[in-house]
Amino acid sequence: MQKVAILGIGQTSIGEHWDKSLREIGGEAAFAALQDAGVDKVDALYVGNMLSPLIDSQNQLGTFLADWIGLWNQEAVKVEAACGSGAAALRVGMMAVAAGEIDSALVVGVEKMTDKAGHDVTAALATAADADYEVEQGVSFVGLNALIMQRYMHEFGWKHADFAPFSINAHANAMHNPFARLHEKITVERFEKSSMVATPVNLLDASPIGDGAAAVVIVPAEKVASIPGRPRVIIAASASVTDTMAVHSRKDPLFLSAAYESAKRCYEMAGIKPEEIDVFELHDAFSIMSALSLEACGFAERGQGVRLGLENEIAPKGRVPICTRGGLKARGHPVGATGVYQIVEIVQQLRCECNETQVEGAKIGMAQNIGGSGATVLSHILISE
Amino acid sequence: MQKVAILGIGQTSIGEHWDKSLREIGGEAAFAALQDAGVDKVDALYVGNMLSPLIDSQNQLGTFLADWIGLWNQEAVKVEAACGSGAAALRVGMMAVAAGEIDSALVVGVEKMTDKAGHDVTAALATAADADYEVEQGVSFVGLNALIMQRYMHEFGWKHADFAPFSINAHANAMHNPFARLHEKITVERFEKSSMVATPVNLLDASPIGDGAAAVVIVPAEKVASIPGRPRVIIAASASVTDTMAVHSRKDPLFLSAAYESAKRCYEMAGIKPEEIDVFELHDAFSIMSALSLEACGFAERGQGVRLGLENEIAPKGRVPICTRGGLKARGHPVGATGVYQIVEIVQQLRCECNETQVEGAKIGMAQNIGGSGATVLSHILISE
């Protein structure tokens, strides 16, 4: 398969953008990526989004956004895989370029979630779970993660405070990311005193929703040259893998088998081992997911993901730096956009643009985006050359 | 780009399937296609669907359906382009196979629309239009088509009854399609007396919604051999093109420029002229769309698409056979599934499986699937070898 490179990146800050419409935030990220790539047009647009039909009464988001940015007479389509929609859109764009069907594409992840509040958004997010077998029984998406976390603590003997380092690291890193939603350092005490959402998940275990958009421009790798201060960034591996929709259908609900499988395929494709990953943007929608992702992707033994946090190995100077721009926890989680934010952030690391949270000498980064409670997992390994 | 072949097809009947869930109808079509292809597994699943978040409270439909049919540990994703979702999913699957990323894929278009009724479905369908600039002003999706039809009649001097042949042909052909929603011959008198929906669009100008699913199995063309009675069917051309989202933004609202452009690219790609198309499954969501599609795709002069119906050239024995299995009008229009139904029907024609409505010696067929009021148009040319 022809290799694909990431030529440009763009993003909006994540927040409550009540003064900007869905198309405006999508357009802002798209134009930023085009400008960063130094091009003024592309052959196609792939949009990752989960909630626009429910929150914005808007479907056909590919054409909707193409129209806004003036990309008529070209291909535009929306790709959806719940919270994994962003990386799913990147993967579709990558395959289109790799197939030789198009020569360049814009991939935009966009979500506007804060115009409605409370029950509406919780119900909308629950569409990522199984409507018949999970949601109909009364479980929300937070509830599912709470059940998993509870079981994990019971099974492996961890207490709630042991998860604090994940949130503390994410908040500390977000302090240096101007696009992050939360700029607020937290402590173990603050983490423990935070209000309960669904036992044992409290407010600081959970990532905040938000309005935001991120975008990348992709082209065949052979069209990109590495220039001083701006290495060529290649998508060295990409894999999308599914598990069962419902958590209760899994033999082991504490093992993210789709995360394991998609990371494994990426390692094989890129010809590397987990130890060679310099920076890992994982899908920390809830603190428990950080632990499970680290274990599934080969960075910790079963039940020991938490230890990496306690031993301070997840910080930018640690052995497995995660959430270096704030992660879902503090950068924010505009669901369908998150996967593209992760890619943008890995590119920033490989370009050495991260200042205080730069991982020294980062050459290989992995981003992992998850739809549902581990139901759809997309991994991408990016390499700078 | 590596050529892709259609190895198997499957479909459910279209109707009010209140006794079957969304996953059941999707699975029924998927298993039918796998059986027809003579394979029991594929590498990936691409699902076309528009309304499941709104009508079924279900997102992540790729993984949802993959789980149901037992396709774990593989790629699954949903693709959405309003009523063009089905063909959009086919195109994504085709690019994945062509890129060499996977070796086989199942493409399923699925929609369940009749569990809710009335305003809910009308509001859900209106998400195909521009929420800010069209729907917010009070126009429904039928209303938009009514405005276009009114203007067309005024501009080119046609009267309402002149559109009758489109609906009569579709209903006549559907009589011989066991999967069609409507099995009912109609006449000009019946057409003219039908109740008004939005002037001048009456009930028999409009396609009925429905529950249904259609599926195809695709593989690299080199893996398929032509066998007696079962020719090899190749996707000879594919193009996806956008126009503006809102109808009022177009220089000429009576010309489907995206249909023109996507058909043109397909003709070039396949190296053929419109006259060489033996059968054309167009997107007759409303009778006016048949006229506009025929004109945009080079089968009639501007304003003269209606004439092809009046001269009986659209029947299976005519010069430009359309809606040979009933079209959206009488086969039914389960929106996100329609594009895959069209592909399945072209394959049936190229395999000479259409009995009473068989187009004699059909070798080249085109399917055209439209999202919104001409906002996203996907064309595919299939050739039997």
Side-chain angles (χ1 to χ4, degrees), chain B residues 38-59:
Chain B
V39 297
D40 55 12
K41 61 186 175 61
V42 287
D43 288 346
L45 171 66
Y46 302 94
V47 175
N49 169 272
M50 173 185 173
L51 297 176
S52 78
L54 291 162
I55 308 246
D56 310 283
S57 300
Q58 186 65 65
N59 255 310

Side-chain angles (χ1 to χ4, degrees), chain B residues 9-208:
Chain B
I9 56 174
Q11 61 187 315
T12 73
S13 66
I14 296 177
E16 293 180 345
H17 296 313
W18 298 346
D19 56 334
K20 289 180 190 164
S21 69
L22 181 64
R23 65 184 97 211
E24 284 173 310
I25 54 172
E28 191 178 319
F31 287 127
L34 288 169
Q35 190 172 16
D36 183 61
V39 297
D40 55 12
K41 61 186 175 61
V42 287
D43 288 346
L45 171 66
Y46 302 94
V47 175
N49 169 272
M50 173 185 173
L51 297 176
S52 78
L54 291 162
I55 308 246
D56 310 283
S57 300
Q58 186 65 65
N59 255 310
Q60 212 181 165
L61 223 59
T63 303
F64 171 82
L65 196 57
D67 185 21
W68 179 249
I69 64 171
L71 189 77
W72 306 289
N73 263 327
Q74 299 295 355
E75 172 162 32
V77 78
K78 169 184 145 173
V79 182
E80 188 270 328
C83 303
S85 300
L90 173 69
R91 188 168 151 80
V92 168
M94 183 200 77
M95 293 192 296
V97 172
E101 185 68 14
I102 52 168
D103 243 7
S104 60
L106 190 56
V107 178
V108 179
V110 59
E111 204 75 71
K112 189 137 179 42
M113 306 172 68
T114 72
D115 293 355
K116 292 188 179 179
H119 174 70
D120 276 351
V121 172
T122 304
L125 287 169
T127 59
D130 193 305
D132 295 334
Y133 303 151
E134 292 183 319
V135 184
E136 187 67 23
Q137 319 305 322
V139 76
S140 69
F141 203 68
V142 186
L144 278 172
N145 280 275
L147 290 168
I148 296 171
M149 187 174 183
Q150 185 87 298
R151 182 75 202 172
Y152 183 92
M153 289 163 67
H154 169 81
E155 202 72 50
F156 299 111
W158 299 105
K159 57 186 191 300
H160 184 256
D162 296 331
F163 292 84
F166 290 125
S167 300
I168 292 170
N169 171 61
H171 277 257
N173 294 339
M175 294 295 290
H176 308 289
N177 178 5
F179 299 101
R181 171 149 195 190
L182 304 177
H183 292 114
E184 204 181 349
K185 277 204 170 187
I186 60 166
T187 59
V188 180
E189 295 66 40
R190 171 94 189 279
F191 178 79
E192 276 301 273
K193 280 186 188 156
S194 179
S195 48
M196 193 54 72
V197 182
T199 317
V201 171
N202 76 19
L203 202 61
L204 287 177
D205 284 302
S207 57

Side-chain angles (χ1 to χ4, degrees), chain A residues 336-365:
Chain A
T338 288
V340 186
Y341 272 99
Q342 293 177 314
I343 297 291
V344 163
E345 291 163 355
I346 292 287
V347 173
Q348 289 182 315
Q349 283 287 357
L350 301 185
R351 285 184 185 171
C352 291
E353 294 175 351
C354 296
N355 304 312
E356 295 87 345
T357 63
Q358 179 63 45
V359 173
E360 216 184 301
K363 295 270 181 212
I364 305 179

Side-chain angles (χ1 to χ4, degrees), chain A residues 131-290:
Chain A
D132 294 336
Y133 303 151
E134 293 182 318
V135 184
E136 188 67 22
Q137 318 305 322
V139 75
S140 69
F141 203 67
V142 186
L144 278 172
N145 280 275
L147 291 168
I148 296 171
M149 188 174 183
Q150 186 86 297
R151 183 76 202 169
Y152 183 91
M153 288 163 66
H154 170 80
E155 202 73 51
F156 299 111
W158 299 105
K159 56 186 193 299
H160 184 257
D162 295 331
F163 292 84
F166 291 124
S167 299
I168 292 171
N169 172 62
H171 277 256
N173 293 340
M175 293 297 290
H176 307 289
N177 178 3
F179 299 102
R181 172 149 195 192
L182 304 177
H183 292 111
E184 204 179 349
K185 277 204 171 187
I186 60 166
T187 60
V188 180
E189 294 66 41
R190 172 90 189 279
F191 178 78
E192 276 301 274
K193 281 186 188 154
S194 179
S195 48
M196 193 54 72
V197 182
T199 314
V201 171
N202 76 19
L203 202 61
L204 287 177
D205 283 301
S207 57
I209 63 163
D211 306 328
V216 296
V217 173
I218 53 175
V219 294
E222 64 193 24
K223 297 211 168 174
V224 185
S226 193
I227 51 173
R230 181 82 171 247
R232 184 169 86 148
V233 175
I234 306 288
I235 302 176
S238 166
S240 175
V241 174
T242 69
D243 199 343
T244 65
M245 272 295 277
V247 174
H248 61 242
S249 302
R250 297 179 196 156
K251 277 183 196 157
D252 182 352
L254 298 184
F255 185 65
L256 297 175
S257 77
Y260 165 80
E261 187 65 33
S262 78
K264 182 168 156 259
R265 288 187 199 173
C266 278
Y267 297 147
E268 286 168 8
M269 223 175 284
I272 61 164
K273 294 186 179 125
E275 306 84 270
E276 295 174 69
I277 301 284
D278 297 312
V279 52
F280 178 27
E281 289 302 332
L282 51 69
H283 193 91
D284 57 323
F286 298 93
S287 56
I288 177 66
M289 293 302 283
S290 294

Side-chain angles (χ1 to χ4, degrees), chain B residues 298-333:
Chain B
F299 298 105
E301 295 295 311
R302 292 292 311 276
Q304 303 303 311
V306 169
R307 198 176 298 278
L308 281 170
L310 293 169
E311 290 170 355
N312 203 25
E313 295 287 15
I314 59 173
K317 294 194 187 311
R319 191 160 55 82
V320 190
I322 62 172
C323 306
T324 63
R325 306 294 281 159
L328 281 63
K329 177 67 201 80
R331 173 237 298 133
H333 184 26

